[in-house]
Amino acid sequence: MKLATIKLRGTEQAAVVGGHGPVPIETINRKEHANFSSDLFELLQKNQLAELKEWYDSGGKSRLSEMAAVTENEVEYAPPYRNPRKICGIGMNYAAKAEQLGAVPPEKEPVCFLKPATCLIGPGENIVIPPQSRRVTAEAELCIVIGAACKNVSKSDAPSVVAGFTPALDMTAQDIHAKNPRFLGKSKWFDTFFSFGPHLVTADEIDDLESIVAETVLNGRVAHRDRVANMIFHPWYIVSHLSHILTLLPGDIIVAGTPGSVVIRDGDVAECRLSGFAPLVNPVSTQVDRKRSGGRYARFVI
């Protein structure tokens, strides 16, 4: 099952993506006399994803095709949700990139960092180059979305706490980080420095996680490409490892590493492509597109 959040009548609403486009959950509720949350984050918090999947697998998928959808050429996607509790990042997780950066032999534990929710934007919204930096990079990543609260979960049990996967772009003010390795956090905390979406694909839809290819794309050209199979730390290991450090909660986000980064500038278009997923595309600017961001950043001076 594919889920998304779409901009509809001035609001952001959760939808199930059918073959003819996204069907708002409020439409499903009306047609099926159901009571699923129309907010994707709340859907995860209330543990309704399992119920929605059961409805989908027990005939809902076929009935979905008869419901009114927003066509793909008309839909405007938002991020799946705006305010996760945590955004966890894993660095240097592809063997080729780690070797390129001199991180060989691989560390016994992954490089970890956190990003604030204020970084977050969605498909089509501007990545804003901050005036403090002259070298910002974008990295395509496989994004893991947690579906159940967990602590000290084993690697074998990790799939049971994952809601699904989605493309992500992680930005870094590379010149700030280069001044001092301790500035890694600061280099990643700027507004608009994290994007994810458009579709959240539930874990049961992924037949072969290792075969997914991640591509960092700049202005339509593939700059870096690698397979999940070439990660140093497998996504299930990452979930388990982080859960032994902190409690993971529904809606928490984990970005699992990038095959490579690209320097982005005003006027560029950055993209994350994951095989089997709709691409995540974000323009690059020196100012926020307030119309597309729903006025969220109107209080900030750029």
Side-chain angles (χ1 to χ4, degrees), residues 196-248:
F196 78 136
H199 296 163
L200 170 61
V201 179
T202 54
D204 60 296
E205 292 281 330
I206 309 297
D207 294 327
D208 184 2
L209 187 59
E210 289 77 14
S211 70
I212 292 176
V213 175
E215 296 177 333
T216 303
V217 180
L218 181 65
N219 299 327
R221 184 183 68 84
V222 177
H224 303 280
R225 175 192 290 117
D226 213 333
R227 290 181 178 273
V228 169
N230 295 325
M231 286 183 172
I232 299 169
F233 301 102
H234 189 279
W236 304 141
Y237 173 87
I238 292 169
V239 172
S240 174
H241 177 76
L242 289 175
S243 78
H244 281 78
I245 301 170
L246 41 71
T247 299
L248 295 174

Side-chain angles (χ1 to χ4, degrees), residues 39-301:
D39 178 278
L40 186 43
F41 186 72
E42 189 175 87
L43 191 79
L44 295 172
Q45 301 302 301
K46 291 183 174 181
N47 197 29
Q48 289 186 334
L49 181 59
E51 297 174 33
L52 185 61
K53 284 168 58 180
E54 183 179 358
W55 168 83
Y56 184 82
D57 293 336
S58 61
K61 180 179 180 180
S62 61
R63 295 195 295 277
L64 192 72
S65 63
E66 301 170 1
M67 300 181 195
V70 182
T71 59
E72 286 294 339
N73 63 341
E74 295 177 339
V75 68
E76 186 174 5
Y77 287 104
Y81 40 89
R82 297 273 182 188
N83 292 293
R85 302 279 190 88
K86 295 184 287 293
I87 302 172
C88 305
I90 302 297
M92 294 186 294
N93 195 28
Y94 283 89
K97 186 184 180 187
E99 183 175 359
Q100 179 186 3
L101 295 175
V104 177
E107 299 290 337
K108 294 182 180 179
E109 294 186 6
V111 175
C112 305
F113 58 89
L114 289 172
K115 296 179 76 95
T118 47
C119 290
L120 194 149
I121 57 173
E125 296 176 1
N126 285 357
I127 300 166
V128 178
I129 305 294
Q132 296 95 325
S133 177
R134 295 183 179 276
R135 184 179 174 86
V136 173
T137 59
E139 304 172 342
E141 311 212 14
L142 173 71
C143 178
I144 305 165
V145 175
I146 298 299
C150 61
K151 178 69 176 174
N152 298 329
V153 68
S154 67
K155 180 181 175 181
S156 60
D157 287 338
S160 68
V161 301
V162 170
F165 303 90
T166 188
L169 285 167
D170 178 34
M171 274 57 72
T172 308
Q174 200 174 72
D175 52 345
I176 291 176
H177 185 211
K179 290 178 183 178
N180 189 325
R182 295 180 180 180
F183 292 172
L184 174 62
K186 180 165 65 173
S187 72
K188 288 181 169 290
W189 290 346
F190 289 98
D191 296 331
T192 76
F193 267 32
F194 178 77
S195 180
F196 78 136
H199 296 163
L200 170 61
V201 179
T202 54
D204 60 296
E205 292 281 330
I206 309 297
D207 294 327
D208 184 2
L209 187 59
E210 289 77 14
S211 70
I212 292 176
V213 175
E215 296 177 333
T216 303
V217 180
L218 181 65
N219 299 327
R221 184 183 68 84
V222 177
H224 303 280
R225 175 192 290 117
D226 213 333
R227 290 181 178 273
V228 169
N230 295 325
M231 286 183 172
I232 299 169
F233 301 102
H234 189 279
W236 304 141
Y237 173 87
I238 292 169
V239 172
S240 174
H241 177 76
L242 289 175
S243 78
H244 281 78
I245 301 170
L246 41 71
T247 299
L248 295 174
L249 300 170
D252 282 355
I253 294 166
I254 304 170
V255 281
T258 182
S261 61
V262 290
V263 177
I264 54 175
R265 300 177 177 86
D266 184 30
D268 285 341
V269 176
E271 213 175 320
C272 173
R273 295 179 188 170
L274 300 179
S275 53
F277 291 72
L280 171 65
V281 182
N282 288 96
V284 182
S285 179
T286 54
Q287 60 183 352
V288 171
D289 183 343
R290 291 180 175 83
K291 181 180 178 182
R292 292 193 67 88
S293 63
R296 181 181 175 205
Y297 300 100
R299 65 187 184 278
F300 298 129
V301 177

